[in-house]
Amino acid sequence: MAANALSDRTTRQRETPSWLAYRAVYSVVLVLLAWEIASRTALINPFFMPAPSLLVVQAVKLTLQGELLPHMGATLLRALGAILLAIAIGVSLGIAMARIAAVRWFFDPLISLGLPTPKIALWPIFVLWFGFHDQSKIYLTTFACAFPLVSATYLATRDVDRYLLWSARALGTGERRMLWKVIFRAAVPDILTGIQTIIPFAFILIVLTEMLSGGIGLGSMIMLAGRLADIPTVLVGVIGASILGFAVIRLGEYLRARVLVWHEETTDHA
Amino acid sequence: MARLGVEAFRYAPLVLLVIAWELAVRYGVISPNFLPEFSAVAGTLWALTLSLELPENLGISMYRQAAGFSLAVVIGVALGIGMARVRAVELAFRPLVTLWYPVPVVALFPVLVLILKLGDQLQITVILLGSILPVILSAYNAARGVDHYLAWSALSMGTSPERLLWKIVLPAALPGILSGIRVTLALSFVLLVASEQLGALGGIGAFTLSAGENGFYTGMFAGILTIGLVGFVADRLYLALIRRLLSWRDEE
């Protein structure tokens, strides 16, 4: 579910000729065109699948009325907040689990029990504890995203090349310096992959909790429009959420390349 | 016996946590309005089981999950392998998959309600549409990754294309496909619960949400524990199944 959709991103960058990328754009345009024609000729029900051009018109209208951007902003801020919180908690807990036996003993069964269970089921509890506003949405999303991140960080830190550690120790590296200069650096690529994996989950969960609670946010806008059978607005909201998620996924890929400037993964095809 | 001891030590934190929960509420560290005692939740869980309220809702939910998940696996594997092996299928579906990839499917819930109305078909469709992508992608990548020499050798020895699919491509791609299906399994439970919370006729997600809205907190916690347990058990059963299916491989 990470950012590597149909092929591994690093190999794609290296191998895909640019004409293939253009072809991908063409085929997407083709799909949109087919949708437009099918909807206009009522081949598909235009009430449920309004033509893309109508959606663009609706998006512009909502933006001019000031009814789209505030929702998108609220969703974006909540998702970013939840992602940052999940990184802070997940990465530190994952490293602690890999380094400290007592922490590992306590959290290992909790993580392995919690990882495959649907955290969205806890929504009523989070509402009871934190109310209907920002907190419950952000905390539930943080909680759900922390599990895969703890697991990714733990595995990445645990599996750091032992020869690397031995060499550093032989060269007189202290334990604290070792954690920061050797272990963390060696684990960073896999930790970043873990972070990139939770980005789409975070957006889905924020939109979902907004749908369950009302107020401001794309999810609430979608739910309200749905009750009024205003399908163009629903679809504009869904596309808006997709664009936000896509933009943050791209941001993550960009930051990864910046953070890993020193890593072979980046320098290889520079 | 030694193994039992190791397992007990391993899962001791869970027991400690439950004891801490019980004591914290009993001695007033946490208000029971925020967190009912564990013993009270367990009592409600038992009562709801005997009254069949929980088993009935769970049955409804499991039917939806099983249907949506199986459809996603069957259609997803067929599409993924088709895209990897047949050029026309790839040309037709690749743009759709690219467009579909970033769409949060649960957000389409209001449209799907209008089209499908409330009922099992609604939840099944949400699960199918929302969880099929990991199967397609892993089947596609795994089938593309199948060693060309393997396929060529088989073909040169006179294997028919149909036999090639069943005897070479599918087994070789199986490990990759199975790991994609594990993601889909977890996703299908998320989508099940989410779509039942958004609107459903019965089901464990709807039951839990309405228990919370009506202040029936022990029932709400009992429902949530049930969902968590079912998700966990499904994942463990699936892992056991994978181990059996892949026992013919020499690695691991």
Side-chain angles (χ1 to χ4, degrees):
Chain A
M1 278 298 285
N4 37 358
L6 279 168
S7 53
D8 183 55
R9 173 137 181 89
T10 46
T11 53
R12 192 174 65 200
Q13 276 177 344
R14 237 169 289 161
E15 287 165 6
T16 310
S18 54
W19 64 268
L20 248 175
Y22 284 121
R23 209 193 59 183
V25 174
Y26 280 138
S27 57
V28 167
V29 170
L30 216 65
V31 170
L32 291 177
L33 207 66
W35 176 2
E36 177 85 31
I37 293 168
S39 178
R40 294 273 175 184
T41 57
L43 205 68
I44 53 174
N45 190 329
F47 177 73
F48 293 125
M49 293 281 280
S53 58
L54 293 178
L55 296 182
V56 173
V57 171
Q58 182 73 2
V60 171
K61 209 172 92 190
L62 287 171
T63 310
L64 292 180
Q65 289 168 345
E67 278 174 32
L68 184 60
L69 296 183
H71 290 300
M72 284 181 82
T75 301
L76 180 64
L77 283 182
R78 282 173 187 144
L80 287 178
I83 291 169
L84 291 177
L85 257 179
I87 293 173
I89 296 169
V91 172
S92 37
L93 187 55
I95 292 181
M97 275 177 70
R99 303 287 298 165
I100 306 166
V103 177
R104 177 164 60 245
W105 170 74
F106 187 77
F107 283 100
D108 181 54
L110 303 183
I111 298 292
S112 63
L113 187 74
L115 197 57
T117 57
K119 265 71 68 180
I120 186 66
L122 297 170
W123 172 243
I125 300 185
F126 277 75
V127 171
L128 175 67
W129 288 351
F130 303 110
F132 258 123
H133 298 290
D134 288 340
Q135 284 187 352
S136 51
K137 299 174 182 118
I138 294 175
Y139 292 163
L140 178 65
T141 306
T142 302
F143 184 75
C145 290
F147 281 88
L149 202 47
V150 168
S151 165
T153 308
Y154 167 65
L155 292 176
T157 316
R158 192 193 62 182
D159 297 340
V160 168
D161 190 353
R162 231 173 302 158
Y163 292 103
L164 213 60
L165 298 184
W166 288 340
S167 319
R169 204 166 282 144
L171 291 171
T173 313
E175 277 308 308
R176 181 169 301 184
R177 247 181 95 78
M178 182 87 105
L179 180 63
W180 178 242
K181 288 275 173 186
V182 182
I183 297 174
F184 188 65
R185 298 245 167 141
V188 155
D190 287 341
I191 296 177
L192 287 179
T193 305
I195 293 173
Q196 288 174 301
T197 315
I198 65 167
I199 294 174
F201 288 132
F203 274 93
I204 291 174
L205 278 163
I206 288 290
V207 169
L208 188 54
T209 51
E210 286 170 353
M211 291 173 80
L212 287 166
S213 61
I216 192 170
L218 280 177
S220 319
M221 182 186 107
I222 288 168
M223 223 39 193
L224 188 66
R227 262 178 224 133
L228 305 170
D230 176 5
I231 289 183
T233 303
V234 173
L235 293 182
V236 167
V238 173
I239 294 167
S242 312
I243 291 173
L244 286 181
F246 187 73
V248 176
I249 288 172
R250 273 299 154 93
L251 179 71
E253 286 170 359
Y254 171 75
L255 290 178
R256 180 191 183 99
R258 293 303 295 263
V259 171
L260 295 182
V261 173
W262 49 273
H263 195 270
E264 325 168 327
E265 164 190 318
T266 317
T267 48
D268 241 21
H269 54 95
Chain B
M1 280 311 282
R3 225 200 103 153
L4 209 67
V6 171
E7 289 292 297
F9 180 70
R10 196 177 160 219
Y11 287 101
L14 287 175
V15 180
L16 286 181
L17 214 60
V18 167
I19 295 173
W21 168 3
E22 178 75 23
L23 293 181
V25 184
R26 191 162 284 186
Y27 292 104
V29 184
I30 302 172
S31 156
N33 292 330
F34 271 85
L35 186 69
E37 290 165 37
F38 177 75
S39 51
V41 173
T44 306
L45 186 65
W46 183 239
L48 286 173
T49 307
L50 288 184
S51 72
L52 291 184
E53 200 169 346
L54 214 48
E56 269 168 17
N57 280 302
L58 191 61
I60 295 173
S61 294
M62 290 318 294
Y63 163 65
R64 294 166 177 166
Q65 191 275 335
F69 170 71
S70 328
L71 281 174
V73 168
V74 172
I75 300 175
V77 169
L79 254 183
I81 293 184
M83 281 171 63
R85 308 290 306 177
V86 185
R87 187 122 182 88
V89 179
E90 177 170 17
L91 283 177
F93 282 97
R94 193 167 174 144
L96 281 179
V97 171
T98 311
L99 270 186
W100 195 240
Y101 182 68
V103 175
V105 171
V106 262
L108 288 173
F109 189 84
V111 182
L112 294 173
V113 173
L114 290 173
I115 298 176
L116 298 166
K117 310 285 180 297
L118 284 182
D120 291 341
Q121 70 281 1
L122 179 60
Q123 266 70 37
I124 293 171
T125 309
V126 172
I127 294 172
L128 168 65
L129 294 179
S131 71
I132 194 172
L133 217 49
V135 191
I136 297 181
L137 295 181
S138 63
Y140 175 80
N141 286 327
R144 270 178 64 108
V146 171
D147 193 345
H148 285 300
Y149 293 105
L150 216 60
W152 287 338
S153 332
L155 283 175
S156 72
M157 286 190 278
T159 314
S160 70
E162 195 187 331
R163 252 181 89 80
L164 183 74
L165 175 66
W166 289 107
K167 291 281 169 183
I168 309 282
V169 175
L170 211 53
L174 198 60
I177 296 175
L178 289 176
S179 67
I181 291 178
R182 191 177 176 202
V183 177
T184 287
L185 182 65
L187 258 177
S188 72
F189 276 102
V190 176
L191 290 159
L192 167 76
V193 174
S195 69
E196 286 184 346
Q197 288 174 338
L198 285 169
L201 301 173
I204 190 88
F207 169 82
T208 305
L209 192 68
S210 80
E213 278 165 357
N214 296 320
F216 178 30
Y217 293 131
T218 52
M220 174 179 105
F221 276 87
I224 291 167
L225 282 183
T226 311
I227 297 170
L229 205 65
V230 170
F232 177 72
V233 169
D235 185 62
R236 284 300 132 115
L237 286 178
Y238 183 70
L239 282 183
L241 179 78
I242 287 186
R243 235 171 280 132
R244 286 203 64 154
L245 281 177
L246 295 184
S247 57
W248 51 271
R249 292 207 306 171
D250 13 293
E251 59 226 87
E252 286 165 5

